[in-house]
Amino acid sequence: MPPITEEQKNQDVQDIIQDGFKGAATTCALTSIVVFASTRYCPWAKANINYAGKTFIISALTAASFAFSAEQSIMKKHRGQDRWDSP
């Protein structure tokens, strides 16, 4: 196997980051829709949580899903890059 140049390594890293961001953005959008609907239509949440609380819940869960999804997809792609392990 030919040696890996610094340019190839940087391009691989950029591809991994872009794939992770795309997956995380999709997860973030889907999560925010589901959480918004659940806080809007759940009778208990509708009666007991004000708008600021609902906004906080939606923001927190969306940010958490984004971070988790990005980390998982980046790590999954990185594990597939076995050629970096060779000296």
Side-chain angles (χ1 to χ4, degrees), residues 28 31-40 44-46 48-64:
C28 182
T31 302
S32 63
I33 292 168
V34 170
V35 173
F36 174 75
S38 65
T39 57
R40 185 168 176 103
W44 180 87
K46 195 172 185 179
N48 295 314
I49 303 174
N50 63 10
Y51 291 114
K54 291 176 185 178
T55 304
F56 177 72
I57 292 169
I58 292 167
S59 300
L61 291 176
T62 302

Side-chain angles (χ1 to χ4, degrees), residues 4-74:
I4 305 300
T5 64
E6 195 65 34
E7 184 177 312
Q8 288 173 328
K9 192 181 282 191
N10 289 338
Q11 184 62 38
D12 288 344
V13 169
Q14 289 299 321
D15 291 341
I16 289 170
I17 291 171
Q18 286 177 353
D19 290 342
F21 182 76
K22 288 176 189 175
T26 303
T27 303
C28 182
L30 294 175
T31 302
S32 63
I33 292 168
V34 170
V35 173
F36 174 75
S38 65
T39 57
R40 185 168 176 103
Y41 297 112
C42 177
W44 180 87
K46 195 172 185 179
N48 295 314
I49 303 174
N50 63 10
Y51 291 114
K54 291 176 185 178
T55 304
F56 177 72
I57 292 169
I58 292 167
S59 300
L61 291 176
T62 302
S65 70
F66 183 86
F68 180 76
S69 178
E71 186 221 351
Q72 290 298 314
S73 58
I74 288 171

